[in-house]
């Protein structure tokens, strides 16, 4: 290696050289280092193998990425310490993908490799056969569910021919069994496999994986695909990953991390529900599955499919650019399949029901549920979990805040005292007095899923009530009449579909503190409404009065593409993401000011800040004790905005900034995040 090695371990290079990527988070060390290969390790130190190396006085893990006959470094080289495994786990295609993802998000290769290549499990390596088992050729499947879309069969024919068509698929609601979206994705994967190519399908959560697993087994038979999810044990997950690496299977389904699976001869990449935040990696470099799979498709020539009931702005950008072709049903078929959506409180509701028209469970919703319970289950979507997750003053409606940490105060269950959700301080007895009006009375600002279940149970005695949300998520419910209370994303699938769907407290979804609130609200509503039987009733309650809201209109019309196009047009006018590329720098104010002076940002970059971050969770920071130096806190951020065409120049400048500060061992860290979803 170069200058970072201990002199005591250096010796002249014997000839064979290994280029190694060392696992280190330091940005200025994000490059390849050369090591000498001892004779006894020569056969095992193959490109892609895991190794242990001496690096800056420590032993670190790394991957061999290349073998060279002659070193490119002029000095002495340190020998490899050992080869952890001769298994070439880092393939050239996955290495190139990881490098591209790191560059796109101004991250380090080590960060991406940590997420892309699972930890080794020696027993799994020993137990799995090296030989690829023989398998019968798979004939091209029938289009099946794709016949409902005019462009569907043509897209499948191109996949079967080994081409790389890219599509944005708007799935029909109300489908069941072999016509539902998991079956359609299974047919697409089988089509790629019948052409001798691999397929990779990523979905948001394990329940989606279960449904897709069942559909693929029905189409391909057992043993023709594997699943990769975080809930698998280390050995099970590594065994499945090795089956892909060694070519035993060529079809992979899974959650976020499966996007990097080393599928041989990749012919199809697909993902479901681009707007779901579970597809965004919460760890550095904070990439999105859609971007990763888009990079894979561009590099390998694979077909690409982005499916969902809604449409995200990122997909809309690609559609308007011509990179994705819409695959949609005919309007007449869509109208027949979509549920009948009505808005509680509109029309004659106010005149007929009075104040009950706008209750938490309005009269219209109560009547629809009563009629629907005759022949099946009814789904009730509640936007917040818990009992009463937010309280306010009964007189002036001011939110109740904790006296100790200013956190939100909630009621955890019936008969308990209100308590702070951050620090747990209990408001016992007469502990509350409004600082604005002096009132001592409390009221609920938001009703959670558990309180809603209580109200529903009283309103419909004799019917079982199921709850699905944080802590206990139901996968399915039966056909028998029942009431299912679920938070967004936790709605179980009903056998045969729901006979009605109630969407409560629409305002809580529309008031989410993000720029994407209308799109996210619509995505949640569509996901729940799509579980209803064809043509059944969906009631939206709690929508603001006397104003036309695009998200509500898009739900009634079942037209998410219209809302996405409208939102994107407005953001282009305002210069907001994704019409522009934005990066967020987070740190102390002084560190950010220094970083802005050090950064060589593009000429077109617009810098906004530094400004103080909004209050987060938890009590305030402890002040320094006597004689203790003031500690730096990441309480400010800067936004850097460039045109979308300037993404590469922006990320290159940010990578250089991170490397510069890392090399100088700056005491104050400045975190960099490209496309910070939670900021918008």
């Amino acid at each position: 290696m170069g200058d970072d090695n201990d002199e005591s371990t250096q010796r002249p290079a014997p000839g064979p050289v290994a280029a190694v990527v060392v696992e280190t988070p330091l940005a200025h060390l994000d490059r390849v280092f050369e090591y000498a290969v001892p004779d006894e390790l020569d056969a095992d130190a193959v490109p892609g193998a895991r190794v242990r190396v001496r690096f800056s006085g420590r032993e670190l893990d790394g991957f061999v990425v290349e073998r060279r006959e002659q070193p490119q470094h002029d000095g002495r080289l340190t020998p490899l310490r050992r080869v952890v495994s001769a298994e070439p786990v880092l393939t050239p295609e996955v290495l190139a993908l990881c490098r591209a993802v790191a560059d796109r998000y101004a991250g380090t290769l080590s960060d991406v490799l940590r997420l892309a290549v699972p930890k080794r499990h020696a027993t799994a390596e020993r137990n799995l056969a090296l030989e690829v088992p023989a398998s019968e050729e798979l004939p091209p499947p029938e289009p099946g569910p794709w016949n409902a879309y005019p462009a569907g069969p043509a897209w499948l024919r191109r996949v079967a021919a080994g081409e790389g068509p890219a599509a944005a698929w708007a799935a029909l609601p109300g489908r069941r069994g072999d016509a539902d979206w998991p079956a359609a994705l299974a047919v697409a994967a089988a089509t790629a496999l019948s052409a001798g190519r691999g397929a990779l399908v990523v979905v948001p959560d394990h329940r989606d994986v279960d449904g897709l697993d069942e559909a693929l087994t029905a189409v391909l038979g057992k043993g023709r695909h594997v699943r990769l999810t975080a809930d698998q044990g280390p050995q099970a997950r590594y065994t499945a990953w090795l089956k892909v690496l060694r070519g035993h299977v060529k079809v992979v389904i899974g959650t976020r991390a499966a996007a990097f699976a080393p599928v041989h001869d990749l012919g199809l990449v697909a993902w479901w529900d681009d707007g779901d935040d579970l597809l965004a990696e919460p760890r550095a470099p904070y990439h999105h599955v859609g971007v990763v799979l888009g990079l894979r498709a561009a590099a390998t020539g694979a077909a690409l499919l982005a499916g969902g009931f809604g449409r995200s702005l990122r997909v809309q950008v690609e559609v308007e650019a011509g990179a994705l072709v819409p695959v949609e049903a005919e309007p007449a078929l869509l109208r027949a399949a979509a549920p009948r959506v009505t808005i509680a409180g509109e029309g004659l509701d106010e005149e007929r029901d009075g104040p009950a028209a706008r209750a938490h469970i309005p009269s219209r919703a109560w009547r629809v549920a009563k009629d629907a319970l005759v022949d099946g289950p009814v789904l009730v979507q509640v936007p917040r979990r818990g009992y009463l997750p937010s309280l306010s003053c009964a007189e002036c409606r001011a939110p109740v805040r904790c006296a100790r940490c200013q956190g939100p105060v909630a009621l955890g269950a019936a008969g308990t005292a209100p308590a702070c959700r951050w620090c747990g301080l209990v408001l016992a007895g007469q502990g509350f007095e409004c600082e604005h009006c002096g009132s001592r009375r409390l009221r609920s600002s938001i009703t959670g899923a558990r309180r809603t279940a209580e109200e529903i149970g009283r309103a419909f005695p004799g019917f079982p009530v199921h709850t699905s949300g944080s802590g206990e998520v139901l996968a399915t419910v039966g056909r028998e009449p029942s009431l299912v209370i679920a938070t967004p994303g936790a709605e179980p699938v009903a056998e045969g579909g729901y006979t009605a769907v109630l969407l409560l407290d629409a305002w809580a979804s529309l008031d989410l503190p993000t720029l994407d609130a209308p799109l996210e609200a619509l995505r949640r509503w569509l996901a729940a409404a799509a579980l209803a039987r064809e043509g059944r009733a969906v009631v939206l309650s709690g929508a603001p009065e006397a104003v036309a809201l695009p998200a509500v209109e898009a739900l009634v019309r079942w037209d998410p593409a219209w809302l996405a196009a409208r939102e994107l047009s407005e953001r282009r006018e305002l210069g907001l993401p994704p019409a522009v590329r934005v990066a967020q720098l987070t740190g102390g104010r002084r560190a950010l000011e220094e970083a802005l002076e050090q950064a060589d940002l593009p000429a077109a970059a617009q810098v906004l800040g530094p400004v103080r971050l909004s209050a987060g969770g938890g009590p305030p920071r402890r002040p320094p004790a006597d004689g203790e130096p003031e500690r730096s806190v990441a309480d400010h951020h800067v936004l850097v905005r460039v045109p979308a065409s300037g993404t590469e120049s922006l990320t290159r400048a940010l990578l250089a900034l991170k490397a510069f500060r890392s090399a100088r061992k700056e005491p104050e860290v400045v975190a960099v995040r490209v496309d910070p979803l939670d900021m918008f």
Side-chain angles (χ1 to χ4, degrees):
M1 201 188 77
D3 298 334
D4 294 290
N5 290 282
D6 293 345
E7 291 293 336
S8 60
T9 62
Q10 295 172 352
R11 63 177 178 81
V17 176
V20 176
V21 171
V22 181
E23 291 190 11
T24 172
L26 300 177
H28 69 289
L29 301 177
D30 186 25
R31 54 190 174 91
V32 170
F33 293 88
E34 291 185 329
Y35 285 84
V37 182
D39 293 341
E40 62 272 18
L41 301 181
D42 186 66
D44 291 339
V46 296
R50 304 177 200 259
V51 293
R52 292 282 288 179
V53 297
R54 188 73 174 175
F55 193 89
S56 297
R58 297 183 298 160
E59 277 199 12
L60 298 179
D61 293 319
F63 296 94
V64 176
V65 296
E66 184 185 354
R67 287 294 300 270
R68 300 168 180 169
E69 287 301 320
Q70 297 295 328
Q72 298 177 0
H73 175 65
D74 294 334
R76 296 173 179 267
L77 298 184
T78 300
L80 297 175
R81 297 303 292 260
R82 66 187 179 95
V83 176
V84 177
S85 170
E87 188 82 38
V89 293
L90 182 58
T91 65
E93 191 256 325
V94 173
L95 173 62
L97 173 66
C98 292
R99 182 74 269 175
V101 172
D103 291 344
R104 166 65 174 76
Y105 286 94
T108 64
L109 180 60
S110 179
D111 283 339
V112 186
L113 289 175
R114 184 185 72 251
L115 302 169
V117 182
K119 294 292 185 182
R120 177 179 182 246
H121 197 285
T123 303
E125 283 188 1
R126 290 193 302 268
N127 292 348
L128 184 66
L130 292 173
E131 303 80 21
V132 177
S135 59
E136 298 180 0
E137 290 190 6
L138 182 73
E142 293 297 322
W146 292 99
N147 284 323
Y149 309 90
W155 182 83
L156 287 178
R157 286 194 296 271
R158 293 188 62 190
V159 174
E163 300 179 28
W169 167 43
L172 282 170
R175 298 307 200 193
R176 298 291 171 265
D178 58 4
D180 203 1
W181 66 265
L185 288 176
V187 169
T191 301
L193 187 61
S194 68
R197 306 187 71 184
L200 172 59
V201 185
V202 180
V203 292
D205 63 33
H206 68 92
R207 294 185 306 147
D208 297 325
V209 175
D210 291 340
L212 186 56
D213 187 17
E214 182 179 347
L216 267 172
T217 302
V219 175
L220 301 179
K222 292 185 177 180
R224 301 295 293 265
H225 73 279
V226 297
R227 52 189 291 166
L228 293 173
T229 61
D231 60 352
Q232 292 173 301
Q235 182 172 354
R237 185 181 180 200
Y238 194 63
T239 298
W241 191 85
L242 276 180
K243 286 182 178 180
V244 182
L245 179 69
R246 295 180 180 178
H248 291 203
V249 295
K250 300 181 73 172
V251 177
V252 178
I253 62 174
T255 49
R256 197 170 52 231
F260 295 94
V263 181
H264 291 206
D265 194 15
L266 193 59
L268 170 69
V269 295
W271 68 99
W272 176 256
D273 199 2
D274 187 82
D276 195 315
D277 58 6
L278 291 176
L279 296 179
E281 177 58 53
R283 295 165 291 182
Y286 312 107
H287 53 269
H288 190 280
V289 162
V291 175
V292 174
L293 295 183
L295 291 171
R296 290 198 81 166
T300 61
L304 183 148
L305 182 65
F309 295 119
R311 180 177 290 178
S312 70
L313 284 187
R314 202 188 61 78
V315 170
Q316 182 65 25
V317 168
E318 299 297 319
V319 169
E320 294 188 8
L324 296 180
V325 176
V327 175
E328 303 167 333
E330 293 285 0
L333 179 58
L334 177 60
R335 284 194 298 270
R340 295 178 290 105
V341 181
T342 58
I343 312 301
E346 290 189 348
L348 299 176
D349 286 2
E350 192 77 37
E351 180 180 344
R352 177 178 52 193
D353 302 324
R358 299 199 173 276
H360 179 231
I361 304 175
S363 300
R364 175 180 292 195
W366 187 90
R367 287 191 295 269
V368 167
K370 180 182 178 182
D371 294 340
L373 282 169
V374 172
D375 59 347
V378 173
L379 173 64
V380 183
Q381 187 194 71
V382 183
R384 301 291 177 87
R385 63 180 184 268
Y387 193 74
L388 296 178
S390 180
L391 300 175
S392 62
C393 172
E395 298 295 332
C396 68
R397 304 298 196 264
V400 179
R401 312 298 292 186
C402 174
R404 182 164 63 189
C405 71
Q406 296 303 304
V409 174
L411 192 66
T416 63
C420 175
R421 283 169 32 202
W422 288 357
C423 70
L425 180 66
V426 176
L427 299 184
Q430 298 295 318
F432 169 71
E433 181 177 342
C434 180
E435 61 181 13
H436 300 284
C437 68
S439 172
R440 291 184 175 273
R441 295 191 302 119
L442 296 169
R443 70 182 299 272
S444 63
S445 300
I446 301 170
T447 302
R450 283 191 287 123
R451 174 60 180 263
T452 301
E454 286 186 5
E455 296 178 1
I456 289 284
R458 289 194 295 266
F460 298 96
F463 292 99
V465 178
H466 309 287
T467 58
S468 180
S470 178
E472 183 180 1
V473 178
L474 302 179
T476 59
V477 293
R479 289 177 174 270
E480 62 277 1
S482 63
L483 292 145
V484 180
I485 318 300
T487 51
E491 302 92 348
V493 176
E495 185 180 350
Y498 289 100
T499 53
V501 175
L502 311 182
L503 307 172
L504 303 186
D505 298 335
W507 62 269
S509 296
L510 292 167
D511 283 351
L512 292 172
T514 65
L515 190 60
D516 279 342
L519 289 164
E520 176 61 15
L522 178 63
R523 188 190 70 80
R524 294 179 176 188
W525 297 337
L526 292 176
L531 298 176
R533 299 175 187 175
E534 286 191 10
R536 290 303 186 110
V538 172
V539 179
L540 179 71
S541 70
E545 305 176 38
V547 59
L549 296 174
V552 175
E553 184 177 348
L555 174 65
V556 173
R557 294 165 46 187
W558 204 273
D559 194 356
W562 168 79
L563 179 63
R566 176 189 173 112
E567 285 282 320
L568 183 57
S569 175
E570 292 179 352
R571 296 197 191 184
R572 285 197 175 107
E573 293 179 7
L574 299 172
L576 294 173
V580 296
R581 187 70 62 217
V582 173
Q584 179 192 28
L585 280 64
T586 307
R589 183 180 185 90
R590 182 178 59 187
L592 289 173
E593 291 172 346
E594 291 176 353
L596 291 175
E597 294 177 358
Q598 296 161 349
D600 184 18
L601 296 174
Q606 181 183 9
V607 177
L608 308 173
V611 296
R612 183 175 292 276
L613 287 166
S614 58
R621 180 174 65 98
R622 175 183 66 84
D626 293 341
E628 182 183 2
E630 177 68 32
R631 295 168 294 160
S632 175
V633 141
D635 56 356
H636 284 71
H637 72 153
V638 167
L639 298 181
V640 182
R641 179 168 62 180
V642 298
S645 58
T647 299
E648 185 177 350
S649 58
L650 173 62
T651 56
R652 191 165 51 241
L654 294 176
L655 279 168
L657 171 65
K658 291 174 65 175
F660 177 78
R661 292 183 62 83
S662 174
R664 291 185 57 178
K665 296 181 173 58
E666 296 281 5
E668 299 187 38
V669 175
V670 172
V672 174
R673 188 169 184 177
V674 178
D675 295 340
L677 298 179
D678 55 347
M679 289 302 302
F680 303 104

